[in-house]
Amino acid sequence: MSEGVEWAVHSCLNLSWLPSDRAAPTARLASLFDLPTAYLNKQLQALARAGLVSSVSGPRGGFRLAREPERISLLDVVRAIEGPEPSFRCREIRQQGPFGEEPDNHRQACTIANAFAEAELAWQRQLRGTTIGDLKAAVERKVPKVATRTRAWLVGEAP
Amino acid sequence: MSEGVEWAVHSCLNLSWLPSDRAAPTARLASLFDLPTAYLNKQLQALARAGLVSSVSGPRGGFRLAREPERISLLDVVRAIEGPEPSFRCREIRQQGPFGEEPDNHRQACTIANAFAEAELAWQRQLRGTTIGDLKAAVERKVPKVATRTRAWLVGEAP
DNA sequence: GGAATATTACTCGGATACTTTCTGTCCGAGTCTACCAGG
DNA sequence: CCTGGTAGACTCGGACAGAAAGTATCCGAGTAATATTCC
């Protein structure tokens, strides 16, 4: 899985601490973890295309969450960055070669593909069940200052 | 996930139909699905390094399963090809930036990494629970001729 | 003083290089088979 | 006919290119705030 996913999840989490009437520019979000600004911007664009965040141009512009943190799952973020393709894609190689034309192969679903699809579903189920809101609550429990600290940094009250 | 995984699983399945006193050369296995021989050989080498198949050189050589199909899980095959790294790797970016030095970040485990690790475990559990033996039984039920047909092709009785 | 306007600075967005991984190919080292010669 | 040796061919194994995806960067279009000018 690409590194952009990690950045995207962290950024969504940071945006969840932003006052709802403000937007945070990419540079601010990037500075929180010393990430390359332009490349993080690319990931945020992907989130915007997927409708998870909304973007606003110009001064005082930037990104904000497009809906409540409780309604953004980790699966949403992963698919926004990585695309909708499953990790295992069946190329139907069984339809090639000397026995490829046999009708059995077309009627029945590929057993191997089924097994991997099942695993993929288990993985998706887990990611769908965890939201940015869940992470927000968990992190605030572990590190209480993080909410105010991050908000202050993003709105520009800290240097 | 790389395409080699699909080839490797199919090849393990084909090898499970091979008489236990024989070995199948890469060229035979590749011809079953019109795969590039040399590249499939590369994947089989990876399986050999992982101890899933054993290789024998020279005439009448090739590959055979190193243990019973029931004791080779899909997770074994995936890890042999893709390596042991999890799909999501936490780079600990939270330890960088203005708040990176805060001791909170080091004591507590990364919440985001935890969530992805949980999903990865669900995925692994599913793959560990499915073996080449399971696939063999399922395919034989769907397409009874496949066992004798594949065996005949691999031992070279068919052209 | 207030309002309309022009300027300026800031932000996103897509187009453009560079790096790593994946895909595909080639040739050499080792080994087993089969043939051949000699007893 | 049997035994030993030799040549041959077959197979794996790792080293070597090409293609695709991921990573990183830059500059232009658009926008909102600000400063300026005029009434």
Side-chain angles (χ1 to χ4, degrees):
Chain A
M1 188 151 34
S2 93
E3 193 171 359
V5 172
E6 184 179 7
W7 300 3
V9 176
H10 272 283
S11 295
C12 284
L13 194 49
N14 286 332
L15 285 176
S16 78
W17 285 307
L18 192 69
S20 56
D21 59 339
R22 302 280 309 251
T26 308
R28 283 273 157 180
L29 289 166
S31 68
L32 269 170
F33 299 122
D34 291 343
L35 303 177
T37 304
Y39 190 35
L40 176 61
N41 186 34
K42 199 184 185 72
Q43 315 295 346
L44 293 172
Q45 282 176 38
L47 294 180
R49 269 192 295 272
L52 304 184
V53 305
S54 61
S55 66
V56 15
S57 302
R60 294 176 64 88
F63 293 90
R64 72 184 63 175
L65 292 185
R67 51 181 192 259
E68 312 91 77
E70 292 77 18
R71 295 187 52 228
I72 300 178
S73 73
L74 286 187
L75 183 59
D76 291 332
V77 178
V78 170
R79 285 216 268 222
I81 303 295
E82 299 271 294
E85 302 285 318
S87 67
F88 179 92
R89 185 157 61 90
C90 178
R91 263 82 163 190
E92 290 290 341
I93 61 175
R94 61 179 178 158
Q95 294 186 17
Q96 299 172 346
F99 308 120
E101 302 296 321
E102 307 265 335
D104 311 317
N105 295 352
H106 308 266
R107 271 204 292 274
Q108 311 276 356
C110 176
T111 310
I112 294 174
N114 276 350
F116 279 97
E118 207 64 40
E120 182 99 8
L121 277 178
W123 179 79
Q124 287 184 7
R125 193 158 36 238
Q126 199 75 27
L127 289 184
R128 206 194 322 270
T130 306
T131 68
I132 298 295
D134 297 334
L135 298 179
K136 177 170 181 284
V139 173
E140 286 174 353
R141 206 175 327 115
K142 290 184 190 171
V143 187
K145 345 178 212 179
V146 72
T148 56
R149 171 217 281 173
T150 306
R151 174 166 35 236
W153 180 268
L154 287 181
V155 301
E157 291 165 5
Chain B
M1 186 151 32
S2 94
E3 192 171 357
V5 172
E6 184 179 8
W7 301 3
V9 176
H10 271 283
S11 294
C12 283
L13 194 49
N14 286 333
L15 286 176
S16 77
W17 285 308
L18 193 69
S20 55
D21 58 341
R22 303 280 307 252
T26 307
R28 283 273 156 182
L29 288 166
S31 69
L32 268 170
F33 299 123
D34 291 342
L35 302 178
T37 304
Y39 190 35
L40 176 61
N41 186 33
K42 202 184 184 71
Q43 315 296 344
L44 293 173
Q45 283 177 38
L47 295 180
R49 270 192 296 273
L52 304 184
V53 305
S54 62
S55 66
V56 15
S57 301
R60 295 176 64 89
F63 293 91
R64 71 184 63 174
L65 292 185
R67 52 181 192 258
E68 312 91 77
E70 292 77 18
R71 295 187 52 227
I72 299 179
S73 73
L74 287 187
L75 183 60
D76 291 332
V77 178
V78 170
R79 285 217 267 221
I81 303 294
E82 300 270 293
E85 301 285 318
S87 67
F88 179 92
R89 183 157 63 91
C90 178
R91 262 84 164 188
E92 290 289 341
I93 61 175
R94 62 180 177 157
Q95 294 185 16
Q96 299 171 347
F99 308 119
E101 303 296 322
E102 307 265 336
D104 311 317
N105 295 353
H106 308 267
R107 270 204 292 273
Q108 311 276 357
C110 177
T111 310
I112 294 175
N114 276 351
F116 278 97
E118 206 64 39
E120 182 98 7
L121 277 178
W123 179 79
Q124 287 184 8
R125 192 158 36 236
Q126 199 74 28
L127 289 185
R128 206 194 321 271
T130 307
T131 68
I132 298 295
D134 297 334
L135 298 179
K136 177 170 181 285
V139 172
E140 286 174 353
R141 206 174 327 114
K142 290 184 190 172
V143 186
K145 346 179 211 181
V146 73
T148 55
R149 170 217 282 175
T150 306
R151 176 170 29 239
W153 180 267
L154 287 181
V155 301
E157 291 164 6

PDB file of all heavy atoms in Angstrom, chain B residues 64-85:
ATOM      1  N   ARG B  64       8.430 -29.873  -7.237  1.00  0.00           N
ATOM      2  CA  ARG B  64       7.327 -30.625  -6.616  1.00  0.00           C
ATOM      3  C   ARG B  64       6.980 -29.955  -5.293  1.00  0.00           C
ATOM      4  O   ARG B  64       7.786 -29.193  -4.737  1.00  0.00           O
ATOM      5  CB  ARG B  64       7.736 -32.071  -6.373  1.00  0.00           C
ATOM      6  CG  ARG B  64       8.756 -32.199  -5.264  1.00  0.00           C
ATOM      7  CD  ARG B  64       9.217 -33.617  -5.090  1.00  0.00           C
ATOM      8  NE  ARG B  64       9.905 -34.082  -6.303  1.00  0.00           N
ATOM      9  CZ  ARG B  64      10.516 -35.257  -6.397  1.00  0.00           C
ATOM     10  NH1 ARG B  64      10.508 -36.090  -5.384  1.00  0.00           N
ATOM     11  NH2 ARG B  64      11.136 -35.598  -7.501  1.00  0.00           N
ATOM     12  N   LEU B  65       5.806 -30.227  -4.781  1.00  0.00           N
ATOM     13  CA  LEU B  65       5.439 -29.666  -3.484  1.00  0.00           C
ATOM     14  C   LEU B  65       6.345 -30.258  -2.406  1.00  0.00           C
ATOM     15  O   LEU B  65       6.634 -31.462  -2.418  1.00  0.00           O
ATOM     16  CB  LEU B  65       3.976 -29.963  -3.158  1.00  0.00           C
ATOM     17  CG  LEU B  65       2.945 -29.248  -4.036  1.00  0.00           C
ATOM     18  CD1 LEU B  65       1.532 -29.528  -3.518  1.00  0.00           C
ATOM     19  CD2 LEU B  65       3.190 -27.753  -4.073  1.00  0.00           C
ATOM     20  N   ALA B  66       6.763 -29.400  -1.486  1.00  0.00           N
ATOM     21  CA  ALA B  66       7.678 -29.863  -0.442  1.00  0.00           C
ATOM     22  C   ALA B  66       6.927 -30.524   0.719  1.00  0.00           C
ATOM     23  O   ALA B  66       7.516 -31.219   1.524  1.00  0.00           O
ATOM     24  CB  ALA B  66       8.518 -28.697   0.081  1.00  0.00           C
ATOM     25  N   ARG B  67       5.612 -30.265   0.814  1.00  0.00           N
ATOM     26  CA  ARG B  67       4.820 -30.944   1.832  1.00  0.00           C
ATOM     27  C   ARG B  67       3.383 -31.103   1.330  1.00  0.00           C
ATOM     28  O   ARG B  67       3.058 -30.623   0.241  1.00  0.00           O
ATOM     29  CB  ARG B  67       4.863 -30.210   3.172  1.00  0.00           C
ATOM     30  CG  ARG B  67       4.526 -28.735   3.114  1.00  0.00           C
ATOM     31  CD  ARG B  67       4.628 -28.139   4.518  1.00  0.00           C
ATOM     32  NE  ARG B  67       4.069 -26.811   4.598  1.00  0.00           N
ATOM     33  CZ  ARG B  67       4.799 -25.693   4.618  1.00  0.00           C
ATOM     34  NH1 ARG B  67       6.102 -25.751   4.559  1.00  0.00           N
ATOM     35  NH2 ARG B  67       4.205 -24.514   4.711  1.00  0.00           N
ATOM     36  N   GLU B  68       2.555 -31.749   2.113  1.00  0.00           N
ATOM     37  CA  GLU B  68       1.196 -32.052   1.665  1.00  0.00           C
ATOM     38  C   GLU B  68       0.425 -30.754   1.383  1.00  0.00           C
ATOM     39  O   GLU B  68       0.600 -29.756   2.083  1.00  0.00           O
ATOM     40  CB  GLU B  68       0.439 -32.843   2.730  1.00  0.00           C
ATOM     41  CG  GLU B  68       1.186 -34.019   3.294  1.00  0.00           C
ATOM     42  CD  GLU B  68       1.982 -33.614   4.521  1.00  0.00           C
ATOM     43  OE1 GLU B  68       1.370 -33.466   5.590  1.00  0.00           O
ATOM     44  OE2 GLU B  68       3.210 -33.419   4.406  1.00  0.00           O
ATOM     45  N   PRO B  69      -0.444 -30.800   0.383  1.00  0.00           N
ATOM     46  CA  PRO B  69      -1.223 -29.610   0.020  1.00  0.00           C
ATOM     47  C   PRO B  69      -2.011 -29.046   1.195  1.00  0.00           C
ATOM     48  O   PRO B  69      -2.220 -27.837   1.267  1.00  0.00           O
ATOM     49  CB  PRO B  69      -2.175 -30.125  -1.069  1.00  0.00           C
ATOM     50  CG  PRO B  69      -1.531 -31.351  -1.598  1.00  0.00           C
ATOM     51  CD  PRO B  69      -0.732 -31.945  -0.486  1.00  0.00           C
ATOM     52  N   GLU B  70      -2.432 -29.901   2.092  1.00  0.00           N
ATOM     53  CA  GLU B  70      -3.224 -29.431   3.237  1.00  0.00           C
ATOM     54  C   GLU B  70      -2.386 -28.592   4.191  1.00  0.00           C
ATOM     55  O   GLU B  70      -2.939 -27.916   5.060  1.00  0.00           O
ATOM     56  CB  GLU B  70      -3.813 -30.625   4.010  1.00  0.00           C
ATOM     57  CG  GLU B  70      -4.883 -31.387   3.243  1.00  0.00           C
ATOM     58  CD  GLU B  70      -4.264 -32.292   2.191  1.00  0.00           C
ATOM     59  OE1 GLU B  70      -3.042 -32.578   2.285  1.00  0.00           O
ATOM     60  OE2 GLU B  70      -4.980 -32.689   1.251  1.00  0.00           O
ATOM     61  N   ARG B  71      -1.081 -28.667   4.067  1.00  0.00           N
ATOM     62  CA  ARG B  71      -0.227 -27.924   4.981  1.00  0.00           C
ATOM     63  C   ARG B  71       0.435 -26.727   4.308  1.00  0.00           C
ATOM     64  O   ARG B  71       1.412 -26.174   4.794  1.00  0.00           O
ATOM     65  CB  ARG B  71       0.824 -28.852   5.594  1.00  0.00           C
ATOM     66  CG  ARG B  71       0.183 -29.940   6.478  1.00  0.00           C
ATOM     67  CD  ARG B  71       1.220 -30.759   7.212  1.00  0.00           C
ATOM     68  NE  ARG B  71       2.149 -29.913   7.932  1.00  0.00           N
ATOM     69  CZ  ARG B  71       3.489 -30.050   7.903  1.00  0.00           C
ATOM     70  NH1 ARG B  71       4.016 -31.024   7.203  1.00  0.00           N
ATOM     71  NH2 ARG B  71       4.263 -29.233   8.575  1.00  0.00           N
ATOM     72  N   ILE B  72      -0.115 -26.315   3.160  1.00  0.00           N
ATOM     73  CA  ILE B  72       0.361 -25.096   2.493  1.00  0.00           C
ATOM     74  C   ILE B  72      -0.806 -24.130   2.412  1.00  0.00           C
ATOM     75  O   ILE B  72      -1.778 -24.374   1.695  1.00  0.00           O
ATOM     76  CB  ILE B  72       0.882 -25.407   1.074  1.00  0.00           C
ATOM     77  CG1 ILE B  72       2.058 -26.388   1.146  1.00  0.00           C
ATOM     78  CG2 ILE B  72       1.308 -24.125   0.375  1.00  0.00           C
ATOM     79  CD1 ILE B  72       2.617 -26.772  -0.199  1.00  0.00           C
ATOM     80  N   SER B  73      -0.729 -23.050   3.146  1.00  0.00           N
ATOM     81  CA  SER B  73      -1.832 -22.084   3.147  1.00  0.00           C
ATOM     82  C   SER B  73      -1.594 -21.013   2.093  1.00  0.00           C
ATOM     83  O   SER B  73      -0.466 -20.812   1.613  1.00  0.00           O
ATOM     84  CB  SER B  73      -1.951 -21.418   4.516  1.00  0.00           C
ATOM     85  OG  SER B  73      -0.897 -20.516   4.705  1.00  0.00           O
ATOM     86  N   LEU B  74      -2.664 -20.328   1.731  1.00  0.00           N
ATOM     87  CA  LEU B  74      -2.522 -19.226   0.782  1.00  0.00           C
ATOM     88  C   LEU B  74      -1.623 -18.139   1.344  1.00  0.00           C
ATOM     89  O   LEU B  74      -0.881 -17.490   0.605  1.00  0.00           O
ATOM     90  CB  LEU B  74      -3.900 -18.640   0.448  1.00  0.00           C
ATOM     91  CG  LEU B  74      -4.775 -19.500  -0.454  1.00  0.00           C
ATOM     92  CD1 LEU B  74      -6.033 -18.749  -0.843  1.00  0.00           C
ATOM     93  CD2 LEU B  74      -3.999 -19.888  -1.705  1.00  0.00           C
ATOM     94  N   LEU B  75      -1.673 -17.940   2.655  1.00  0.00           N
ATOM     95  CA  LEU B  75      -0.795 -16.937   3.254  1.00  0.00           C
ATOM     96  C   LEU B  75       0.670 -17.317   3.060  1.00  0.00           C
ATOM     97  O   LEU B  75       1.514 -16.450   2.797  1.00  0.00           O
ATOM     98  CB  LEU B  75      -1.115 -16.785   4.743  1.00  0.00           C
ATOM     99  CG  LEU B  75      -0.314 -15.698   5.467  1.00  0.00           C
ATOM    100  CD1 LEU B  75      -0.565 -14.336   4.840  1.00  0.00           C
ATOM    101  CD2 LEU B  75      -0.646 -15.677   6.946  1.00  0.00           C
ATOM    102  N   ASP B  76       0.973 -18.603   3.170  1.00  0.00           N
ATOM    103  CA  ASP B  76       2.348 -19.058   2.911  1.00  0.00           C
ATOM    104  C   ASP B  76       2.792 -18.632   1.517  1.00  0.00           C
ATOM    105  O   ASP B  76       3.893 -18.102   1.334  1.00  0.00           O
ATOM    106  CB  ASP B  76       2.423 -20.595   3.027  1.00  0.00           C
ATOM    107  CG  ASP B  76       2.246 -21.076   4.452  1.00  0.00           C
ATOM    108  OD1 ASP B  76       2.587 -20.323   5.374  1.00  0.00           O
ATOM    109  OD2 ASP B  76       1.765 -22.216   4.641  1.00  0.00           O
ATOM    110  N   VAL B  77       1.931 -18.863   0.534  1.00  0.00           N
ATOM    111  CA  VAL B  77       2.292 -18.544  -0.844  1.00  0.00           C
ATOM    112  C   VAL B  77       2.467 -17.044  -1.016  1.00  0.00           C
ATOM    113  O   VAL B  77       3.454 -16.569  -1.604  1.00  0.00           O
ATOM    114  CB  VAL B  77       1.223 -19.077  -1.821  1.00  0.00           C
ATOM    115  CG1 VAL B  77       1.577 -18.710  -3.248  1.00  0.00           C
ATOM    116  CG2 VAL B  77       1.077 -20.585  -1.670  1.00  0.00           C
ATOM    117  N   VAL B  78       1.520 -16.268  -0.489  1.00  0.00           N
ATOM    118  CA  VAL B  78       1.605 -14.821  -0.634  1.00  0.00           C
ATOM    119  C   VAL B  78       2.900 -14.300  -0.024  1.00  0.00           C
ATOM    120  O   VAL B  78       3.615 -13.496  -0.635  1.00  0.00           O
ATOM    121  CB  VAL B  78       0.395 -14.144   0.031  1.00  0.00           C
ATOM    122  CG1 VAL B  78       0.587 -12.640   0.099  1.00  0.00           C
ATOM    123  CG2 VAL B  78      -0.881 -14.483  -0.722  1.00  0.00           C
ATOM    124  N   ARG B  79       3.216 -14.774   1.170  1.00  0.00           N
ATOM    125  CA  ARG B  79       4.421 -14.274   1.816  1.00  0.00           C
ATOM    126  C   ARG B  79       5.681 -14.733   1.099  1.00  0.00           C
ATOM    127  O   ARG B  79       6.697 -14.034   1.091  1.00  0.00           O
ATOM    128  CB  ARG B  79       4.446 -14.709   3.269  1.00  0.00           C
ATOM    129  CG  ARG B  79       3.462 -13.902   4.099  1.00  0.00           C
ATOM    130  CD  ARG B  79       3.986 -13.620   5.468  1.00  0.00           C
ATOM    131  NE  ARG B  79       3.549 -14.638   6.400  1.00  0.00           N
ATOM    132  CZ  ARG B  79       3.129 -14.384   7.646  1.00  0.00           C
ATOM    133  NH1 ARG B  79       3.060 -13.135   8.068  1.00  0.00           N
ATOM    134  NH2 ARG B  79       2.774 -15.350   8.440  1.00  0.00           N
ATOM    135  N   ALA B  80       5.640 -15.904   0.501  1.00  0.00           N
ATOM    136  CA  ALA B  80       6.808 -16.373  -0.247  1.00  0.00           C
ATOM    137  C   ALA B  80       7.088 -15.446  -1.422  1.00  0.00           C
ATOM    138  O   ALA B  80       8.236 -15.151  -1.737  1.00  0.00           O
ATOM    139  CB  ALA B  80       6.576 -17.794  -0.745  1.00  0.00           C
ATOM    140  N   ILE B  81       6.037 -14.968  -2.078  1.00  0.00           N
ATOM    141  CA  ILE B  81       6.219 -14.120  -3.260  1.00  0.00           C
ATOM    142  C   ILE B  81       6.418 -12.660  -2.877  1.00  0.00           C
ATOM    143  O   ILE B  81       7.309 -11.976  -3.377  1.00  0.00           O
ATOM    144  CB  ILE B  81       5.002 -14.238  -4.201  1.00  0.00           C
ATOM    145  CG1 ILE B  81       4.768 -15.691  -4.599  1.00  0.00           C
ATOM    146  CG2 ILE B  81       5.182 -13.370  -5.435  1.00  0.00           C
ATOM    147  CD1 ILE B  81       5.843 -16.287  -5.432  1.00  0.00           C
ATOM    148  N   GLU B  82       5.582 -12.163  -1.987  1.00  0.00           N
ATOM    149  CA  GLU B  82       5.560 -10.727  -1.688  1.00  0.00           C
ATOM    150  C   GLU B  82       6.487 -10.326  -0.560  1.00  0.00           C
ATOM    151  O   GLU B  82       6.733  -9.145  -0.356  1.00  0.00           O
ATOM    152  CB  GLU B  82       4.134 -10.318  -1.297  1.00  0.00           C
ATOM    153  CG  GLU B  82       3.111 -10.574  -2.372  1.00  0.00           C
ATOM    154  CD  GLU B  82       2.976  -9.386  -3.288  1.00  0.00           C
ATOM    155  OE1 GLU B  82       2.510  -8.348  -2.815  1.00  0.00           O
ATOM    156  OE2 GLU B  82       3.355  -9.498  -4.471  1.00  0.00           O
ATOM    157  N   GLY B  83       6.963 -11.301   0.203  1.00  0.00           N
ATOM    158  CA  GLY B  83       7.768 -10.969   1.368  1.00  0.00           C
ATOM    159  C   GLY B  83       6.905 -10.789   2.594  1.00  0.00           C
ATOM    160  O   GLY B  83       5.678 -10.758   2.500  1.00  0.00           O
ATOM    161  N   PRO B  84       7.555 -10.671   3.754  1.00  0.00           N
ATOM    162  CA  PRO B  84       6.812 -10.668   5.017  1.00  0.00           C
ATOM    163  C   PRO B  84       6.251  -9.304   5.413  1.00  0.00           C
ATOM    164  O   PRO B  84       5.505  -9.218   6.382  1.00  0.00           O
ATOM    165  CB  PRO B  84       7.880 -11.109   6.023  1.00  0.00           C
ATOM    166  CG  PRO B  84       9.152 -10.612   5.444  1.00  0.00           C
ATOM    167  CD  PRO B  84       8.999 -10.628   3.950  1.00  0.00           C
ATOM    168  N   GLU B  85       6.577  -8.244   4.672  1.00  0.00           N
ATOM    169  CA  GLU B  85       6.110  -6.907   5.045  1.00  0.00           C
ATOM    170  C   GLU B  85       4.590  -6.816   4.982  1.00  0.00           C
ATOM    171  O   GLU B  85       3.973  -7.323   4.056  1.00  0.00           O
ATOM    172  CB  GLU B  85       6.691  -5.862   4.089  1.00  0.00           C
ATOM    173  CG  GLU B  85       8.194  -5.831   4.060  1.00  0.00           C
ATOM    174  CD  GLU B  85       8.776  -5.170   5.294  1.00  0.00           C
ATOM    175  OE1 GLU B  85       8.237  -4.142   5.709  1.00  0.00           O
ATOM    176  OE2 GLU B  85       9.765  -5.703   5.837  1.00  0.00           O
TER     177      GLU B  85
END
